């Protein structure tokens, strides 16, 4: 049997759309001095051998790439078009200067949203010479990708009424901005080593898992371990919430790196 590759997952950001601290907030978590309570917008980096993929390029992308000293990437996969997941797209330029076209993987709908907001990047005539260059790869929930020996399967989840892609890389899965999932898509999540899933806050939310829904979902899928992300200040202090979680479930925090199969 061939050995399953070890994937290194780095949490670039673990905050909800506003980030934590939130502008104007006087909530105690937003005022916390604990670095684990400071959360940039949600994104992860998945690396193995000399290969690195990023999921989403939110508004904190530049800061995240500099903090993690990322020198090269093989591509960016997009979950959906909300600003907290794409608003740093223009900051892929330095990668484009070094490597030319940056491969992006996204659904047709998310591509149209990017084309609207970043028309100059997708322009074919009179292009501004400094604009980023991308190589577009349209994917859907029916795609199966192979990234240098790692099988990548998009998993569609529902973010209220909006379909969003999560991604399974071998036995690791990342599902952000999830409220519900169909039975069919759930079958793609069997035998996971590690899952990362949204655990927004304690109270219910119309388009995101709260912590109770996240824990129920994790229990049902029964991965070896799980991490919660896309976290609001309303969830509470990192160190306190962490103590209340089941043994194999943790709160992610910015800069955390884990190994998964
Ligand atoms: Zn989001
Ligand atoms: Zn969203």
């Amino acid at each position: 049997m061939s050995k399953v590759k070890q994937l290194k997952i780095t949490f670039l950001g673990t905050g909800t759309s506003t980030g934590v601290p939130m502008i104007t907030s006087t909530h105690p978590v937003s005022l916390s001095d604990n670095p684990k309570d400071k959360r940039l917008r949600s994104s992860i980096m998945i690396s193995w051998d000399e290969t690195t993929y990023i999921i989403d390029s939110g508004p904190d992308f530049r800061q995240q790439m500099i903090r993690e000293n990322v020198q090269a990437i093989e591509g960016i996969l997009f979950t959906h078009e909300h600003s907290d997941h794409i608003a740093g797209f223009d900051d892929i330029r330095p990668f484009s200067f070094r490597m030319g076209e940056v491969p992006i993987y996204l659904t047709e709908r998310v591509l149209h949203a990017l084309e609207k907001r970043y028309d100059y990047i997708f322009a074919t005539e009179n292009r501004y010479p400094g604009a980023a260059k991308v190589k577009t790869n349209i994917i859907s929930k029916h795609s199966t990708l192979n990234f240098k020996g790692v099988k990548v399967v998009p998993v569609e989840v529902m973010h209220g009424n909006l379909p969003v892609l999560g991604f399974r890389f071998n036995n690791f899965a990342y599902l952000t901005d999830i409220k519900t999932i169909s039975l069919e898509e759930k079958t793609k999540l069997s035998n996971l080593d590690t899952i990362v899933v949204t655990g927004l806050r304690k109270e219910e939310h119309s388009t995101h898992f709260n912590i109770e829904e996240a824990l129920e979902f994790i229990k049902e899928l029964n991965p070896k371990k799980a991490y919660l992300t896309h976290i609001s200040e309303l969830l509470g202090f990192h160190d306190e919430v962490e103590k209340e979680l089941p043994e194999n479930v943790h709160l992610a925090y910015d800069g955390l790196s884990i190994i998964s199969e």
Side-chain angles (χ1 to χ4, degrees):
M1 230 170 78
S2 65
K3 204 171 160 277
V4 181
K5 273 199 200 305
Q6 300 271 293
L7 306 175
K8 183 185 175 197
I9 316 300
T10 303
F11 289 89
L12 299 171
T14 58
T16 189
S17 55
T18 54
V20 184
M22 182 172 82
I23 296 171
T24 75
S25 176
T26 55
H27 188 282
V29 171
S30 268
L31 301 177
S32 167
D33 287 332
N34 185 348
K36 290 180 181 172
D37 287 320
K38 298 190 187 304
R39 302 181 186 277
L40 299 177
R41 267 56 72 90
S42 291
S43 172
I44 57 164
M45 175 162 77
I46 304 175
S47 311
W48 65 95
D49 303 333
E50 300 293 293
T51 301
T52 296
Y53 286 89
I54 312 269
I55 301 184
D56 290 329
S57 61
D60 304 314
F61 182 76
R62 173 178 171 275
Q63 195 180 338
Q64 292 164 333
M65 293 301 98
I66 289 170
R67 187 189 75 208
E68 300 298 332
N69 190 24
V70 182
Q71 295 294 317
I73 59 172
E74 268 62 43
I76 304 176
L77 299 90
F78 287 95
T79 58
H80 65 304
E81 64 273 43
H82 285 164
S83 279
D84 56 322
H85 298 263
I86 67 164
F89 189 49
D90 190 71
D91 284 323
I92 66 169
R93 290 169 66 233
F95 291 119
S96 193
F97 299 156
R98 287 188 69 163
M99 64 192 278
E101 292 182 331
V102 178
I104 57 172
Y105 300 83
L106 68 189
T107 64
E108 193 102 49
R109 189 197 76 225
V110 175
L111 173 65
H112 288 152
L114 283 181
E115 284 173 337
K116 238 189 208 169
R117 294 195 219 176
Y118 300 94
D119 56 342
Y120 54 94
I121 291 178
F122 295 93
T124 49
E125 285 169 26
N126 294 322
R127 279 181 57 84
Y128 180 68
K133 295 189 185 109
V134 294
K135 165 103 182 67
T136 301
N137 300 277
I138 296 292
I139 56 170
S140 76
K141 64 174 175 180
H142 303 296
S143 307
T144 304
L145 308 161
N146 192 314
F147 288 167
K148 304 194 179 184
V150 170
K151 186 179 169 191
V152 179
V153 179
V155 181
E156 188 185 82
V157 301
M158 297 303 292
H159 183 23
N161 293 324
L162 187 74
V164 165
L165 288 186
F167 297 97
R168 178 174 183 153
F169 278 61
N170 283 349
N171 295 325
F172 167 80
Y174 180 74
L175 304 181
T176 187
D177 296 56
I178 170 176
K179 179 67 180 178
T180 56
I181 180 170
S182 71
L183 284 175
E184 204 181 340
E185 292 299 292
K186 217 187 280 181
T187 62
K188 296 176 179 172
L189 299 169
S190 59
N191 301 315
L192 287 174
D193 182 79
T194 309
I195 191 167
V196 176
V197 69
T198 292
L200 182 75
R201 63 186 194 189
K202 287 177 178 146
E203 297 76 25
E204 255 195 57
H205 190 281
S206 59
T207 61
H208 291 281
F209 272 174
N210 67 358
I211 198 153
E212 194 183 326
E213 290 164 313
L215 292 177
E216 219 167 88
F217 183 63
I218 291 164
K219 204 170 169 190
E220 186 188 345
L221 295 178
N222 198 28
K224 287 197 190 118
K225 47 197 191 301
Y227 290 83
L228 302 176
T229 191
H230 210 286
I231 292 163
S232 157
E233 62 179 13
L234 299 173
L235 183 62
F237 292 107
H238 180 281
D239 292 352
E240 288 181 9
V241 178
E242 174 69 25
K243 277 188 232 152
E244 297 163 7
L245 296 174
E247 213 182 330
N248 65 332
V249 184
H250 301 279
L251 277 196
Y253 55 87
D254 290 21
L256 170 67
S257 280
I258 58 169
I259 301 292
S260 179
E261 283 185 350

